[in-house]
Amino acid sequence: MGIIQEKVTPEFAKWAGYCEKDKKSQIGTYDEPEDKVKNAGRGNYTVFAALYKEKTGIDVQAQPWCDSFFDTVLIHLFGVDKARALLGGFSAYTPTSASYYKKMGRYHDSPMEGDQIFFRNSKRIYHTGYVYKVTPKTVYTIEGNTSSGQQIVNEGGCVAYKQYPLGKTGIDGYGRPDYTLVETYEEGFLQAADGKRWWYQFKDGSYASHGWRWLTEKTGGTSGWYLFDDAGYMLTGRQTAPDGREYYLCQRPGIDEGKCMVTDEKGILKIAEWDREKERYVL
């Protein structure tokens, strides 16, 4: 599972059933909203517009909110700067939001989970929502400022699950945020597909390769020097490092596997640490 399934879709889904309010005093905050259905009204007052103004300075309170709903969820999850990069810019006006994706080359005819769906009437793009599932024949959405019915509604009063046949008249296209900009990974050693070798992944998705790395083995919490080949695999046994010197790396499976080893005065292998000042391994 990636960040879309783990964070984005659940955040949109938690708002299903939320109703707009008649008065600003009734909305609460994004983190502490008033009950979803309490004081439901037709005033277009929402917690989304409140957070939108707080973070972007743009005031869209008491205005149609399908687009600000989408933007605000991403702002809440990833912050203003990253949300702006995902969306191409901020706008509560759906034609402008669609144009941002087009400028980034991220506007598509076919949907994927995580997309922003855009709807068109006879005049312009006029409604939007979040795509949370796609099957061969159907696109499933979570939309703000709509109704619970399955028709396209751009001025309803709630957040609702919807679904439409793929290719339905009225669907203009799909904006696709580049979620790789906010994708995070669990850092640590991961076993290779062969079930024998290991590689090390960092939080940004990159991995250790071609040389030495001082790393912590999280199972036991111990640290040591590890040598990786050009493909990113951790090396064991006798190996020649990029500096041309030969080293012995622990071959014993477990928390010490791969760690650099040296011999003490009795010739017994020990896990080594690197003395940065003397530029040598020490016990």
Side-chain angles (χ1 to χ4, degrees):
M1 293 178 65
I3 198 167
I4 296 174
Q5 295 78 22
E6 293 177 354
K7 293 186 68 173
V8 184
T9 294
E11 187 66 23
F12 276 97
K14 84 175 190 182
W15 290 104
Y18 175 86
C19 295
E20 67 184 54
K21 313 302 180 183
D22 273 327
K23 300 177 182 179
K24 186 177 181 180
S25 61
Q26 298 168 334
I27 63 175
T29 66
Y30 189 101
D31 292 318
E32 296 183 6
E34 188 175 72
D35 181 83
K36 288 182 179 180
V37 298
K38 184 179 180 181
N39 291 320
R42 304 295 297 174
N44 280 330
Y45 286 97
T46 71
V47 294
F48 314 116
L51 187 63
Y52 198 69
K53 181 180 180 181
E54 176 188 336
K55 298 297 184 179
T56 70
I58 303 171
D59 188 1
V60 293
Q61 197 64 271
Q63 299 178 29
W65 49 279
C66 61
D67 203 350
S68 60
F69 166 58
F70 191 99
D71 290 10
T72 302
V73 170
L74 297 191
I75 289 171
H76 170 76
L77 286 174
F78 306 117
V80 173
D81 292 338
K82 289 185 177 180
R84 183 184 290 110
L86 291 170
L87 297 164
F90 295 125
S91 172
Y93 186 54
T94 50
T96 302
S97 293
S99 72
Y100 289 153
Y101 288 113
K102 293 174 182 178
K103 289 178 181 178
M104 295 189 295
R106 303 193 66 82
Y107 200 76
H108 302 275
D109 295 328
S110 299
M112 293 176 59
E113 182 180 356
D115 284 355
Q116 183 171 2
I117 186 173
F118 289 94
F119 301 91
R120 170 181 288 276
N121 59 19
S122 61
K123 297 180 180 179
R124 63 173 177 85
I125 291 174
Y126 73 118
H127 184 55
T128 190
Y130 175 78
V131 175
Y132 74 91
K133 186 171 72 171
V134 180
T135 63
K137 294 184 178 181
T138 308
V139 56
Y140 297 83
T141 65
I142 302 168
E143 300 167 27
N145 206 178
T146 191
S147 71
S148 57
Q150 291 310 309
Q151 67 275 24
I152 301 172
V153 176
N154 70 313
E155 275 288 359
C158 68
V159 177
Y161 288 105
K162 313 276 279 192
Q163 64 183 70
Y164 310 96
L166 288 177
K168 177 180 174 61
T169 301
I171 297 177
D172 185 80
Y174 305 90
R176 187 160 300 153
D178 183 3
Y179 291 106
T180 63
L181 298 174
V182 293
E183 188 81 60
T184 57
Y185 301 82
E186 183 177 358
E187 183 167 330
F189 282 97
L190 297 173
Q191 195 162 44
D194 60 12
K196 298 178 181 179
R197 294 178 295 177
W198 294 85
W199 53 289
Y200 191 93
Q201 179 176 256
F202 297 102
K203 289 183 178 180
D204 63 359
S206 63
Y207 55 90
S209 65
H210 188 64
W212 294 103
R213 292 279 188 165
W214 175 259
L215 301 169
T216 298
E217 197 285 324
K218 61 183 179 182
T219 302
T222 60
S223 301
W225 287 99
Y226 297 84
L227 182 63
F228 295 85
D229 65 15
D230 290 348
Y233 293 110
M234 181 186 77
L235 299 172
T236 62
R238 294 195 178 278
Q239 300 287 343
T240 301
D243 62 5
R245 298 178 182 176
E246 190 175 77
Y247 297 88
Y248 184 78
L249 311 171
C250 183
Q251 291 179 290
R252 183 176 64 250
I255 62 174
D256 290 328
E257 183 178 0
K259 288 179 182 175
C260 182
M261 307 186 77
V262 297
T263 58
D264 62 14
E265 65 278 4
K266 296 181 181 180
I268 299 174
L269 285 168
K270 299 284 188 179
I271 301 297
E273 292 191 8
W274 180 255
D275 186 324
R276 294 181 183 276
E277 293 184 359
K278 296 181 180 180
E279 295 187 343
R280 64 184 180 88
Y281 288 101
V282 296
L283 293 175

